[in-house]
Each structure stands twice: as C-alpha cells, then as structure tokens.
Amino acid sequence: MEFFINNMPPIMFMTLICFLLLGFPVAFTLAANGILYALLGIVFGEFTFSFLQALPDRVFGIVLNDSLLAVPFFTLMGLILERSGMAEDLLETIGQLFGPIRGGLAIAVVVVGAMLAATTGVVSASVISMGLISLPIMLRYGYDRKLATGVIAASGTLSQIIPPSLVLIILADQLGRSIGDMYRGAMVPGFILAGAYIVYVVICSIIKPSSAPALPEEARIYREPNGKSGLVSLLVLSVIAAVGAWLLDTLLLTEKTAADEVIVLNLLLWGVIAFVIAVTNKALRLQMLSQIAERVVFVMIPPLLLIFLVLGTIFLGVATPTEGGAMGAVGAIVMALLRRRLSWTLLKQAMDTTTKLTSFVVFILVGSTIFTLTFTGFGGQHWVEGLFASLPGGETGFLIVVSVATFFLAFFLDFFELAFIIVPLLGPVADKMGIDLIWFGVLLAVNMQTSFMHPPFGFALFYLRSVAPKEDYVDRITGKLIKRVTTGEIYRGSIPFIVIQLLMVASVMIWPGMVLHYKGAGTGTDPATVRFDMGASYDSGGYSTDPYGSGAAPSERSATDQFNDSQEQEDSAPLFK
C-alpha cells in the first residue's frame, strides 16, 4: 500500500494509457481516471473532499476562455470552403499550371495542400478532397502509386502546422502562450516543410521520370487560339503586380517592420493589384491576359485574400486570433455566396460538424483538466520534473527524449490526445528549464503531425483509404484499366514523408531561429538596466523629495505612526466626490 501511494503519479499515467489503448473515449477516460484516483487519495488520506471543490472553477474557466472561440470559427470557415468547391477549382487550376513539367501534378497537390491548410485547417477535408480529385488523374497518367498516395496524405497533414491550425490553438492554450505568437512561430517551419515535399517530388521525377510524368498535351485545357500555353502573360502580370506591391509597400511602410508583416502586406498588395488588372481586362474586354492567367487570378487570389483577412490581421495586430477566425468564417460565407455555391443544406452540414468538433474539444479539455488536477495533487509535476532532470544533456537531452516519446506515442494517439495529455505535463518542465514555450510548442506540433502518417493508425491514411479506388475500374477518359490502390501501397508511400517530417523536427531543434523570429528585433534595451524613477512628489508645501512629510522612509517610522497617519487620512477624506 505504501508503494502504491508513493508511486501514484506513474501508476495513474500508466492506467490512463492502458484505458486509451483499450479503446475507451478519450474525454471520459481522462475524467474518470482523475476522479477515480482523487477518490482513492481521499480514502488514503492524501486529499480531503475540499480538494475536489476546485473542479467547478476549472470547468468554468474553460467555458470562459475566449481563445478557444477560435476553434469553431476556423472549423466553420474550413468546412464551408471545402464544401463550396474551392479545393476542386484550386487543384484543377494549379494542376494545369504545373502540369507541363514532370511531377507537376504532385507539386500542384503540395501547393494546394498548403493553401487549403492556410484557409481550412482541417486535415480530413484536405486529404479527402485531394484524394477524390487528384488521385484518379495521377493514376490515369501513370504516376507511381506510392508517390501519389504519399504526397496526398502528407500534403493534407500540412493543416496541422500551417496556421490557422487547430492544434496550434490547443497548444497555445495548454502552454499559456499567445495564439498569435504560436502562429508566427509555426509559419516558417510549415512552409519549409511544404517546400521539402516539393523537393522530394522533383528528385523522384529526376531519378525515375516514369514515376511522375508530365501532363500530356491533350490534357491541357487552357490553351490560346494560337496553341501557346499563355504562361508568358501570367508571368508578366505577376511581375507588374509585384513591382506595384513593392512601390506601394515603400510608401506605406515608412519605419522598420517585422519580416512576417512585410510578407503579408506585400502578398495582399500583389493580390489586389493582380485582381484589379484581371477584372479590368475582363470588364473592358481588352484581351490582354491569357486564359490560364485569368483562371489563376480568379481562382487563387480570393483564397489568398482570405488568408490575409485571417492571418494578416492577426500578424499586424489589428485583430486577435478569435476575431480573425470570425472574419475568416464570414469571408468564407461571402466567397461561397459569390461562387453561388452556398445553400441552407451546406450551411447546416458545416454548422453541425463544427458543433460536434467543438464539443469534442471542450469535453476532452474538461477531462484533461480533471486528470491534471488529480495528477498535480499527487505531486505528479515533481515526478515529471525529477524524471527529466536526471537525463544527460540538459535541455538537448530533454528535447530529444520528448521528441522520441511523442513520435512513438503518436503511433497510438492522435494529436488532440497528445496535446491534452502530455503537453500539460511537459510544459512546466520546459518552462522551468528556460526553454521558449512557443519554440517548444511548434516542435511538438511538427512531431505530432506524424501521428496522421503513421501506419497502421494514421488518420490521413484512413481518410485516403476511404476515397481511393478499392476495385479495378476503367478510366472514363482514356478507356484504360486502372488497378485498385492497395492499403500496403498507401502505407509504403507514407514512409518517405514521415522521414521528411522527422528531419523537420530535427531542423527546428537545431535551428530554433526559424521559430523564434516571432520575437522580432525587440527594442535593444537590456531589462537589467531599466530604472523606475517616480520623481518628486507633491504635497501641501509644493514639490518635495520626502513623500511622507517627515524626512523618514516608511521603514524608519514606527508602525503606530504609519497606522495613525492612515487613519487620519481616512477620517478626513470625503465620503463622496
């Protein structure tokens, strides 16, 4: 019994893992585990019933947390965009844009995955949309099946690291840090990861050209009457818009600005200028732009403007993440209306799914709070600190062990479970070691991203398996027999991208500057040199260096004199002013 009481934190944690592996719901497992061990603590005399009185305050604290309002807003925005057909238009347009080069379709999938991540933030929507649209096309033109399935699943998981990711909101809340700072810190690693996927596709197309062929001539639908592709027109338009954006930027930004703010503002200006030129050309029928140029502008610019509306306002300090999410949801509804694809059925489905996902998050958060309260009551934080304090290597050893443990736990737990279970335990330890918690949170987010790609329980693999062809079929365009996609091909295709994600984890650990840029240049002032001088005080005799009127500091006067002075001031003070 004494051994049981003294080792309650590890026993409690192992019990939780066992129940989760048995398949019990996460939220109820966390809550039941916390309450069960709290009652055992009361029976063994470790707690009193007053210990559980902290639970109502903690639950109300969750409900009153304004930051968590960003979860339903961003979820609703993503679902409306996904159901309004934005993914289909983006895949078709970018596929035509990159199609003439080897591996172009796979590159288009990565680009669309990054754009969907920056607008929807929902893995399931991204993977299913790209699986339904791009996988049949890639199979039609002879893409390697492992490359095709792997790039679709990996591109869908970009929604977990590129803002406005839901997991970044949860991590920021659990670590007690700003959601905006978490978004800033994750932006560079997210887009570097997308670039790494593209580099891998290019390498595959060079080493084995047959694995990623170019789109054949007959499949390129946006052609000019003279047979040209029209890419020169798109290039000229992009250069003109970029020059215009740079000129306006130099006029608008007269003082030093953070790099991410400059990028976001230039992206906005470039998009607005290009869109105005395209609208003017179409309205006046000037015919200065090619078909592919107009298609790219009208399909890609609105999502980019929505990205600015959400992330740009957050980075520029105009809106909080919650307000940015609300504007994003309204912007998604407006885009769906303009595309004439918004209906009551679509809106009802999106709101229904949003309500379910938000309830899911809140219930897990309540269960996590109950578990953490009991775990802390048994001294669990000290157990965790002692466990990691004895590791060799200091901070580096701690980060390596945490990364390895997170990677293996991700085989069995998804990112929500990891965020609610291990982050509250590891966050205080990292903070005590002096590790920047934004950097720590982004490192965990990149690592947790692999949970969607792990065989055999990766959710992105399940989503892709649900839409990949399960039987042989005849392609309606080419008339060829296309063999089914096997589960083994999907699993094997994910392995190279898991390796890329792990290399990204190592990169974030080795070069923290790619995350810590969120701090900006700062003021250059050493906090240790700051002095607060209240100056002279004012009394009845004018300005005086003695605020107490007696020539003695409070510590030099008796407590009785100080008490009498305060009483005289209270007695002489008017009741009403």
Side-chain angles (χ1 to χ4, degrees), residues 241 245 248 265-279 297 301 304-305 308:
L248 289 176
L265 187 57
N266 276 273
L267 179 65
L268 169 69
L269 295 174
W270 175 85
V272 170
I273 293 172
F275 195 77
V276 169
I277 293 174
V279 169
V297 169
I301 297 301
L304 290 176
L305 294 179
F308 170 80

Side-chain angles (χ1 to χ4, degrees), residues 512-575:
M514 69 172 65
V515 175
L516 298 181
H517 71 88
Y518 81 92
K519 293 184 175 181
T523 60
T525 304
D526 183 2
T529 64
V530 176
R531 296 289 183 269
F532 294 95
D533 186 6
M534 300 302 293
S537 60
Y538 183 78
D539 63 1
S540 58
Y543 286 98
S544 169
T545 58
D546 180 12
Y548 298 97
S550 63
S555 59
E556 298 171 354
R557 305 178 68 222
S558 66
T560 304
D561 292 339
Q562 295 181 47
F563 176 76
N564 290 335
D565 289 346
S566 63
Q567 287 296 105
E568 290 174 2
Q569 293 173 6
E570 291 179 5
D571 293 340
S572 61
L575 293 178

Side-chain angles (χ1 to χ4, degrees), residues 114-115 118 158 161-163 186-197 307 311:
M115 293 191 67
L158 290 173
I161 188 62
I162 295 179
M187 183 67 76
V188 172
F191 284 108
I192 290 178
L193 187 61
Y197 292 163
I307 292 171
L311 299 180

Side-chain angles (χ1 to χ4, degrees), residues 367-408:
S368 173
T369 300
I370 298 172
F371 176 83
T372 305
L373 175 65
T374 306
F375 189 80
T376 305
F378 279 115
Q381 296 292 356
H382 300 293
W383 172 71
V384 174
E385 290 176 7
L387 188 65
F388 287 101
S390 59
L391 293 173
E395 293 181 9
T396 304
F398 168 76
L399 292 174
I400 292 175
V401 171
V402 168
S403 298
V404 172
T406 303
F407 176 75
F408 283 105

Side-chain angles (χ1 to χ4, degrees), residues 106-397:
I107 294 174
V109 167
V110 177
V111 173
V112 172
M115 293 191 67
L116 291 177
T119 50
T120 64
V122 182
V123 172
S124 59
S126 300
V127 175
I128 291 174
S129 297
M130 292 189 294
L132 286 171
I133 301 163
S134 61
L135 183 58
I137 299 175
M138 297 169 82
L139 295 178
R140 176 183 304 155
Y141 297 114
Y143 265 72
D144 181 82
R145 291 162 176 268
K146 295 186 290 294
L147 176 62
T149 56
V151 76
I152 291 174
S155 300
T157 62
L158 290 173
S159 299
Q160 294 308 295
I161 188 62
I162 295 179
S165 164
L166 296 183
V167 70
L168 294 177
I169 299 175
I170 300 300
L171 287 172
D173 178 72
Q174 293 294 296
L175 292 171
R177 290 298 183 265
S178 165
I179 297 175
D181 287 344
M182 191 70 77
Y183 280 177
R184 286 172 180 260
M187 183 67 76
V188 172
F191 284 108
I192 290 178
L193 187 61
Y197 292 163
I198 293 177
V199 170
Y200 174 74
V201 170
V202 172
I203 292 174
C204 289
S205 64
I206 294 174
I207 295 176
K208 188 179 179 182
S210 62
S211 66
L215 201 64
E217 288 286 342
E218 62 272 13
R220 304 172 194 175
I221 58 177
Y222 296 107
R223 310 288 294 185
E224 297 304 298
N226 58 7
K228 295 184 178 180
S229 63
L231 294 178
V232 175
S233 173
L234 177 61
L235 179 61
V236 172
L237 174 64
S238 300
V239 171
I240 293 174
V243 172
W246 178 77
L247 292 174
L248 289 176
D249 177 61
T250 56
L251 295 175
L252 294 175
L253 296 180
T254 58
E255 57 184 23
K256 187 177 180 181
T257 310
D260 51 2
E261 296 180 9
V262 173
I263 293 173
V264 169
L265 187 57
N266 276 273
L267 179 65
L268 169 69
L269 295 174
W270 175 85
V272 170
I273 293 172
F275 195 77
V276 169
I277 293 174
V279 169
T280 304
N281 175 75
K282 189 171 184 178
L284 300 180
R285 299 180 180 179
L286 300 178
Q287 297 182 346
M288 294 189 303
L289 299 179
S290 62
Q291 294 184 44
I292 188 66
E294 282 194 352
R295 178 72 180 180
V296 167
V297 169
F298 289 128
V299 171
M300 291 186 63
I301 297 301
L304 290 176
L305 294 179
L306 185 62
I307 292 171
F308 170 80
L309 183 67
V310 176
L311 299 180
T313 53
I314 295 174
F315 289 172
L316 296 175
V318 177
T320 65
T322 301
E323 294 165 347
M327 289 190 293
V330 174
I333 294 174
V334 171
M335 283 181 58
L337 278 172
L338 294 177
R339 294 159 60 89
R340 298 179 181 179
R341 295 185 180 180
L342 185 67
S343 63
W344 284 113
T345 302
L346 184 151
L347 191 60
K348 181 178 180 298
Q349 290 175 349
M351 295 181 69
D352 182 60
T353 305
T354 300
T355 303
K356 290 179 180 178
L357 181 59
T358 306
S359 302
F360 168 73
V361 171
V362 171
F363 268 100
I364 290 184
L365 187 53
V366 170
S368 173
T369 300
I370 298 172
F371 176 83
T372 305
L373 175 65
T374 306
F375 189 80
T376 305
F378 279 115
Q381 296 292 356
H382 300 293
W383 172 71
V384 174
E385 290 176 7
L387 188 65
F388 287 101
S390 59
L391 293 173
E395 293 181 9
T396 304

